Amino acid sequence: MPHLTTLTLEQKASLLSGAGFWATTPVDEAGIPAMTLTDGPHGVRLQRGDADHLGIHESVPATCFPPAVAVGSSWDPEVAEKVGAAVGAEARALGVTVLLGPGINIKRSPLCGRNFEYYSEDPLLSGVLGAAHVRGQQRAGVGASVKHFAANNQETDRMRVSADVDERTLREIYLPAFERVVTEARPATVMCSYNKINGVYSSENRWLLTDLLRGEWGFDGAVVSDWGAVGNRVAALAAGLDLEMPGTGGVTDREIVDAVRSGRLDEAVVDEAVRRVVALADRAPAEGAPIDAVTQHELARSLATESVVLLKNDGDVLPLDDATTIAVIGGFAQTPRFQGGGSSHINPTRTDAALDAIRALAGQRGQQVGYAPGFAVDGAGDPVELRAAAVQMAGSADVAVIFAGLGEKDESEGFDRTTLDLPAVQVDLIRAVAAAAEKTVVMLSNGGVVSLEGWHDDVDAILEGFLLGQAGGSAIADLLFGRANPSGHLAETIPLRLQDTPSYLNFPGEQGHVRYGEGVMVGYRHYETVAAAVRYPFGHGLSYTSFETSALAVEVTGDATAVVRVTVTNTGQRAGKHVVQVYVATEAGPVRRPARELRAFRKVALEPGESRSVVLDLDRRAFAYWDVELGGWTVAPGGYRIQVARDASTVLAEETVTLIGDVIVPVLSFESTVGEWFAHPIAGPALMEGMVAAMTDEQKEHAVEQQDQLRMVESMPMKQFLGFLGEAVPVEALERLIEASKAAQSA
């Protein structure tokens, strides 16, 4: 790294913004090279010609791996790490320094148009998978840029909207995934989001970028802006944003220079940002070995099979062992939907259509396959005629497999959806085919969850593939014919109605603000807490085999830690994978807790008849809540139910443990309520003793009545209650008790 004294102020400022759309500014005389940053995260979107950040212009061919929505459904950090390693290897071969991703924002609403780029509605699952992706990518020699930091959970008005969210909700839902990735995987960069948080743009939010990210979490990499996210360059730099992208033709560089020379900005702030950017430039790889596109494609295929969720399989219609004739229906079978729209849109090296793969595998088995589009992906043709032809074919087949879903025009970066429904032409097709066919299977391709209402009960089996990448068609065929066993589980809830979703009344906001009024009750936390019915719960996923959970044992290992042991057995006839899900439920503490929260998980592969003991640690954070008064994570003393569950709604076994937790002695003041004073472990007894001592015998006889009267004033601040105490407890005595409470907390 060059000594900063050898650089002029102008050179230092130039290092803090791009030279163009995807490259940083070099300083050749100081030996500082240009870096290439480009979009990911499920493939390399490197543009050699015209550049954009919305996937409009062409990029070089690259492998399109399963996007995060599919990887989230795998519940497997190994899958996430393999995706990271594979895209990292391709990026290095192309000379990329930083590949932008993974995206780990929480799926607050199923309507978010960019949900296909995010893993889950749960922060633990998102954080574990995100950290695995970063480890894999950076091990390949290419920096990661975990995004979008933070509370970026919608596309509507995304560049201006203020996400108004309380601190407990931020800490428990929207920040933990970032915290885990930063502290465990040490990404090269963190990308700030476009939006404001509680009225302050993320790019100018010193609490977010410096106090929290660097101070609390120890992040030592560079903070980079989302493309075009900086409105005030000097304020952003002072807040902790190092690298502005893309370049501004030197405009904001001059703003930095002017701010330093006028005394509005300390040059030391510039120097610190330059150190971080230059350290990032030192990572710039020599171009790696060429990539074998065939090998990468086969990897994409195997990872896709891990990510499909078998939602329903009545009568074991799947796999298609007994079908002699198969009617494949739906335009997506021939024209696959395998990725989302916008900045992560990959130019794939090849694309597998499910129809071709089904025909190839069926041909090997002597099965006959017919095809009818049923509907046109581009909306062309007569829908009545297309549907009629599909129904006729389905009526003469042993099983109909319908490919349905959403087109890229229905969901993309830049806008949110307004409905969960499939297009009406597809719903009509499903119902008509199901009425005519002996058996009906629906294969879904969509970036965000879709409603299954209106047709769910008409069909025999449903596979939710979400978006599976360029090899998804072959992966789907592998699953339909049992060459692979479905092992995906839902990383987000499928509701019965859009109106049931917890953010329904507060999404996407109004007049420049979106209020996170549901608080910590996001996704399954809401549904389970209010006992609301859903179509399929978070964590749901079927298999072609069966599993049994037994021998749950929980050992308390500290004041606020435990270890869980459980045995899982494959009781079926096929090899398969099972996800052990451990939730924690409690009413301990002064805050409303969700009915249960995912606190550990493990995906295990088992042969038929095989049993395995799974051991999972529950650390302090598994039991903690964010205490806004204390400004930290707190474990309340009390009982905690450790639940091993099939999904968020189905508890298989549970054991209750009692934790010592944190003994918190609140600090009192005259603003504290009467109830808080009397409940205080030090002040309460002393206060009661003083009041009883001042009572007459007659008053003591009516002590029970006076206790009832005391409940009426529990919410009154002590400063207003003083007049009721009279001489019973002098102000001086209360002041001594306040000091005692302070001493007890600091002890």
Side-chain angles (χ1 to χ4, degrees), residues 166-474:
D166 67 272
E167 186 180 8
R168 181 186 167 210
T169 299
L170 267 177
R171 293 283 191 166
E172 293 191 20
I173 302 296
Y174 298 103
L175 294 178
F178 287 99
E179 181 182 5
R180 183 178 294 273
V181 173
V182 166
T183 57
E184 294 185 3
R186 297 176 62 83
T189 73
V190 169
M191 180 190 290
C192 84
S193 57
Y194 288 120
N195 57 285
K196 302 170 189 170
I197 299 175
N198 296 323
V200 181
Y201 279 109
S202 294
S203 63
E204 300 170 19
N205 196 318
R206 183 172 178 81
W207 173 81
L208 183 73
L209 303 183
T210 296
D211 299 345
L212 178 73
L213 180 61
R214 300 193 189 283
E216 289 190 32
W217 299 349
F219 178 64
D220 58 2
V223 175
V224 60
S225 74
D226 204 340
W227 266 234
V230 176
N232 184 322
R233 184 62 185 108
V234 174
L237 184 57
L241 189 140
D242 302 310
L243 178 60
E244 177 189 17
M245 292 297 292
T248 61
V251 173
T252 55
D253 299 348
R254 289 191 293 274
E255 291 175 359
I256 293 172
V257 171
D258 291 345
V260 171
R261 289 186 171 152
S262 68
R264 292 183 293 114
L265 181 67
D266 190 336
E267 190 168 356
V269 174
V270 177
D271 290 345
E272 191 58 41
V274 169
R275 286 189 187 95
R276 290 191 283 258
V277 171
V278 171
L280 186 62
D282 288 342
R283 302 173 63 105
E287 290 192 9
I291 296 299
D292 182 354
V294 174
T295 301
Q296 292 285 84
H297 184 81
E298 286 306 309
L299 175 61
R301 177 177 179 169
S302 69
L303 297 178
T305 63
E306 300 279 349
S307 305
V308 175
V309 184
L310 179 59
L311 296 177
K312 179 180 182 179
N313 194 22
D314 291 352
D316 293 332
V317 63
L318 292 177
L320 300 175
D321 293 328
D322 301 326
T324 301
T325 56
I326 303 167
V328 176
I329 296 168
F332 289 121
Q334 193 170 44
T335 307
R337 171 85 196 287
F338 59 91
Q339 64 175 324
S343 60
S344 67
H345 195 277
I346 307 303
N347 179 16
T349 57
R350 57 181 278 196
T351 304
D352 289 357
L355 178 60
D356 296 336
I358 290 170
R359 282 174 168 162
L361 291 183
Q364 297 172 14
R365 301 156 59 101
Q367 296 168 304
Q368 301 299 310
V369 176
Y371 172 67
F375 66 93
V377 173
D378 61 4
D382 184 336
V384 175
E385 292 181 3
L386 290 170
R387 182 167 62 247
V391 169
Q392 182 177 11
M393 176 179 287
S396 60
D398 294 323
V399 61
V401 181
I402 304 172
F403 284 76
L406 299 178
E408 196 167 301
K409 64 180 176 59
D410 299 312
E411 51 183 355
S412 172
E413 177 181 355
F415 61 88
D416 293 318
R417 292 192 289 163
T418 58
T419 179
L420 298 182
D421 296 337
L422 286 174
V425 66
Q426 295 186 39
V427 174
D428 292 343
L429 174 69
I430 293 171
R431 298 189 67 177
V433 167
E438 182 177 342
K439 296 177 181 178
T440 305
V441 176
V442 174
M443 178 72 221
L444 292 169
S445 300
N446 37 276
V449 295
V450 295
S451 174
L452 312 183
E453 304 317 302
W455 57 270
H456 172 275
D457 295 344
D458 297 336
V459 304
D460 300 284
I462 305 172
L463 284 163
E464 175 56 274
F466 293 108
L467 303 178
L468 293 172
Q470 68 179 51
S474 294

Side-chain angles (χ1 to χ4, degrees), residues 719-735:
K719 68 180 181 181
Q720 294 174 241
F721 187 65
L722 288 174
F724 294 90
L725 288 174
E727 298 297 323
V729 183
V731 172
E732 294 78 8
L734 295 177
E735 290 174 341

Side-chain angles (χ1 to χ4, degrees), residues 105 108 112 118 148-165 170 192-205 208 228-229 414-416 506-516:
N105 295 103
R108 175 178 177 246
C112 176
Y118 305 140
H148 307 86
F149 192 54
N152 180 195
N153 310 102
Q154 65 187 65
E155 293 300 286
T156 301
D157 202 20
R158 63 174 177 160
M159 300 192 79
R160 301 182 306 169
V161 73
S162 174
D164 297 340
V165 52
L170 267 177
C192 84
S193 57
Y194 288 120
N195 57 285
K196 302 170 189 170
I197 299 175
N198 296 323
V200 181
Y201 279 109
S202 294
S203 63
E204 300 170 19
N205 196 318
L208 183 73
F415 61 88
D416 293 318
N506 293 298
F507 183 94
E510 55 198 20
Q511 296 186 316
H513 292 262
V514 54
R515 187 172 68 88
Y516 284 45

Side-chain angles (χ1 to χ4, degrees), residues 583 596 642-655:
Y583 296 79
R596 63 183 56 90
I642 314 303
Q643 302 172 331
V644 175
R646 178 179 297 116
D647 51 56
S649 294
T650 312
V651 176
L652 301 173
E654 76 173 27
E655 184 173 324

Side-chain angles (χ1 to χ4, degrees), residues 41-42 66-73 103 107 115-120 129 467:
H42 52 269
V69 62
V71 175
S73 299
K107 299 183 182 186
N115 273 353
F116 62 86
E117 276 194 68
Y118 305 140
Y119 293 113
S120 176
L129 296 177
L467 303 178

